[in-house]
Amino acid sequence: MSAPQMPANETQRIHVLHSLGLLHSAPDERFDRLTRLAKRLFNVPVAKVTLVDTDAVYALSCAGQSSAPVPRELSFCSHTIVNDGMLVVPDTRTDPRFCDNPYVTSAPYIRFYAGYPLAVPGGARLGALCLVDFDPRNFGDEDVALLRDLATMVEQEVAAVQMATVDELTLLLNRRGFEASAPQALQLCTRMSKPASLLFFDLNHFKQINDTFGHAEGDRALKVFAETLRKVLRSSDLPARLGGDEFVALLIDSNRDETALVVERLRTAINERNEVDRRGYDIRFSVGQVELPPDARGAIADLLARGDAEMYKNKQATRTTTNH
């Protein structure tokens, strides 16, 4: 049995997956309708929409079989998300990747699998629309085209969910997306005994930018800050726009000193962008920093409140310094 490869964008993929809030959601008729349709059109005993998480693969929707999680290393869909296009296995017993898989050699005795990777805008592949049969079968070009069309319909439904968790202007997570994704990131830190840090940002004099230069220029300032924040942070970190001119970033495996260096790099990068753009105003920010030990517990709302309070202290200190 071959172990599935790890996607090159695995960290970003997991962040996107968790931000959607679909992993442990209640049954959703939008997806159930499509798995029932796939099961009927292909006359297979099982059709699923799966989501590939860090260690397990979950069924977002399943028609015809138990929807219990499957270990990632044993899942066919773990191979599908790194496959270019559709993965078709006409007879699992003759495929060296799967012939000794426990789901092939023992119950439920899978003999056929076809799966199409499900991607969201940005390219992250979250899982698959898949068909399972307990007898070998052929899968022709028309079958491939039909399953691809159904997978596109699933992707459209997932994209609709994603739009509710992503800020349309900056393309960062919004508050809802952050509050859904941050707990999993903190659980990972706890499991790996790693610290984390929260940075809570507020743009200084943002109302003045809107009033003087117009809301379109204010939107531009927000996008510039978001782009710079994304460039400075590591791919494992979790940035978001909470609303208005407030941003937040959860830094994974980052202690106080490392986080302070990130803030300084961000200030330098913003200053450099100010020099290049020369808009008639400078983008400035205040920031609150909250340190989280590996065993940190508590609600995300409480963590954000602490970050907001620390940011306000920083803003007040900056004003005092400026006045003197």
Side-chain angles (χ1 to χ4, degrees):
M1 184 178 74
S2 299
Q5 297 177 9
M6 195 65 66
N9 63 341
E10 177 68 359
T11 300
Q12 182 238 354
R13 192 188 71 81
I14 291 295
H15 278 166
V16 172
L17 174 61
H18 288 173
S19 73
L20 295 175
L22 291 173
L23 276 172
H24 306 292
S25 61
D28 191 321
E29 178 60 22
R30 292 176 297 177
F31 300 106
D32 291 346
R33 174 177 56 84
L34 292 171
T35 52
R36 291 195 303 266
L37 180 60
K39 181 177 183 293
R40 182 168 67 250
L41 290 177
F42 289 98
N43 192 29
V44 292
V46 180
K48 292 184 181 182
V49 172
T50 63
L51 299 172
V52 181
D53 198 8
T54 307
D55 299 315
V57 177
Y58 296 87
L60 175 59
S61 176
C62 182
Q65 191 187 42
S66 167
S67 58
V70 174
R72 182 169 175 174
E73 66 271 15
L74 301 180
S75 169
F76 287 65
C77 293
S78 298
H79 292 263
T80 301
I81 64 169
V82 295
N83 201 62
D84 291 329
M86 191 170 301
L87 174 62
V88 179
V89 186
D91 189 342
T92 58
R93 297 169 299 182
T94 63
D95 192 310
R97 295 170 296 180
F98 307 109
C99 61
D100 56 350
N101 186 300
Y103 291 99
V104 173
T105 60
S106 57
Y109 298 103
I110 295 173
R111 293 292 177 263
F112 166 84
Y113 171 90
Y116 197 87
L118 301 172
V120 294
R125 295 176 179 176
L126 306 184
L129 172 63
C130 68
L131 310 173
V132 172
D133 203 341
F134 307 122
D135 293 306
R137 61 186 293 165
N138 295 320
F139 208 69
D141 292 341
E142 290 186 6
D143 296 319
V144 169
L146 178 56
L147 186 59
R148 182 173 58 242
D149 289 344
L150 288 174
T152 298
M153 296 170 68
V154 176
E155 288 177 335
Q156 290 170 346
E157 297 294 351
V158 174
V161 175
Q162 186 184 31
M163 286 187 67
T165 62
V166 173
D167 177 58
E168 186 176 0
L169 178 67
T170 64
L171 301 182
L172 297 178
L173 292 177
N174 60 20
R175 179 183 289 270
R176 178 181 175 183
F178 182 82
E179 290 178 345
S181 195
Q184 283 85 2
L186 291 177
Q187 288 174 11
L188 179 62
C189 287
T190 298
R191 189 167 62 191
M192 299 176 63
S193 297
K194 300 291 186 181
S197 297
L198 178 86
L199 294 174
F200 195 109
F201 300 96
D202 181 87
L203 299 192
N204 298 336
H205 310 298
F206 181 69
K207 183 177 183 300
Q208 184 177 335
I209 296 174
N210 275 331
D211 292 345
T212 305
F213 298 93
H215 289 277
E217 189 61 33
D219 286 350
R220 182 187 174 203
L222 294 172
K223 291 170 68 175
V224 167
F225 183 80
E227 291 167 4
T228 309
L229 181 62
R230 189 185 289 109
K231 289 178 181 177
V232 168
L233 295 178
R234 302 163 301 179
S235 60
S236 58
D237 298 327
L238 193 65
R241 180 190 176 200
L242 297 183
D245 60 346
E246 292 183 339
F247 294 80
V248 68
L250 183 63
L251 278 59
I252 309 302
D253 188 17
S254 183
N255 59 35
R256 176 182 293 274
D257 292 339
E258 292 169 334
T259 303
L261 287 174
V262 170
V263 173
E264 287 307 308
R265 287 201 299 270
L266 179 61
R267 289 195 192 280
T268 299
I270 287 291
N271 289 337
E272 290 174 351
R273 186 68 184 266
N274 288 335
E275 286 293 322
V276 170
D277 290 352
R278 296 187 177 276
R279 315 170 202 90
Y281 65 88
D282 287 338
I283 297 173
R284 305 291 185 197
F285 64 87
S286 299
V287 58
Q289 183 173 333
V290 179
E291 305 306 315
L292 297 166
D295 58 350
R297 296 289 188 274
I300 295 301
D302 294 337
L303 178 60
L304 291 175
R306 291 170 58 193
D308 189 16
E310 292 298 320
M311 179 277 296
Y312 185 74
K313 291 179 184 177
N314 178 249
K315 186 180 288 286
Q316 291 297 101
T318 301
R319 286 174 179 168
T320 301
T321 302
T322 301
N323 291 337
H324 283 78

